[in-house]
Amino acid sequence: MAGFVMPKIDVKDALEVHQITNRADRFAPMPGCPQWARDFDFRYLTRTAYNLASAVQMIHNAGVVIGDFNERNILVMRTALVSLVDCDSMQFTRGRHTYLCEVGRPEYTAPELQGVDFHKVVRGQESDLFALGVHIYMLLLDGAQPFRGGAWRGDGDPLEF
């Protein structure tokens, strides 16, 4: 039997990354949510991006692929530290067997993996780097989607990605 002990995360004082990427969400947090996001300026967003990249590097150094690297799996603390959660679907190899990540969100999936059956595909760490790039882009550009296709010029709210 093998295992490890993870530090406890105070989820009552953490926000999912999507709750800080968008300026409007930061300045008008939902009732009952931590209110510290109002103070998150570009300096904190940049620090969050750096910390997220560092976390990905540590995971990759352990030979693991995140796979399902979406906005709900990244918790941000008021100090701009990040924690990755919902890690039960990460891909890793033990001995000769690779345990696949069988899920993923299209918005964070590299183009070469769009439409593939994740139950059959061994992902490379570069697929996480694609998702990391999307997250960093959204952090630094107030929630803008990198592949949305330019400025929205229609009536009402922009189309969903």
Side-chain angles (χ1 to χ4, degrees):
M1 184 64 74
F4 66 97
V5 177
M6 295 184 290
K8 183 177 179 180
I9 300 170
D10 183 4
V11 294
K12 293 183 305 256
D13 198 38
L15 291 170
E16 293 175 352
V17 73
H18 66 91
Q19 294 173 289
I20 65 165
T21 54
N22 186 295
R23 177 186 300 265
D25 291 341
R26 278 196 316 275
F27 291 143
M30 297 290 291
C33 288
Q35 302 296 302
W36 53 257
R38 297 170 198 250
D39 299 325
F40 250 51
D41 57 14
F42 192 73
R43 179 181 51 158
Y44 279 101
L45 295 170
T46 303
R47 178 58 65 181
T48 302
Y50 176 85
N51 290 336
L52 183 58
S54 296
V56 171
Q57 182 179 22
M58 289 174 45
I59 290 169
H60 285 179
N61 287 347
V64 175
V65 175
I66 299 167
D68 186 22
F69 194 10
N70 72 68
E71 78 282 3
R72 297 210 177 265
N73 295 349
I74 304 164
L75 294 182
V76 181
M77 313 308 159
R78 73 172 63 235
T79 59
L81 289 176
V82 299
S83 294
L84 298 177
V85 296
D86 194 18
C87 300
D88 60 322
S89 62
M90 289 186 180
Q91 175 186 288
F92 67 97
T93 301
R94 181 159 175 104
R96 292 183 175 175
H97 185 76
T98 298
Y99 297 88
L100 300 177
C101 174
E102 299 176 344
V103 294
R105 296 267 307 279
E107 301 92 330
Y108 302 97
T109 300
E112 64 273 13
L113 294 176
Q114 292 287 334
V116 302
D117 182 356
F118 290 135
H119 294 88
K120 299 176 182 176
V121 173
V122 175
R123 301 185 207 199
Q125 292 178 339
E126 62 277 357
S127 67
D128 288 346
L129 299 179
F130 177 87
L132 175 63
V134 172
H135 287 299
I136 290 174
Y137 187 97
M138 292 177 70
L139 277 164
L140 301 181
L141 295 170
D142 282 333
Q145 294 276 348
F147 303 106
R148 183 164 261 178
W152 174 250
R153 300 195 191 286
D155 294 331
D157 291 331
L159 297 173
E160 290 301 313
F161 180 72

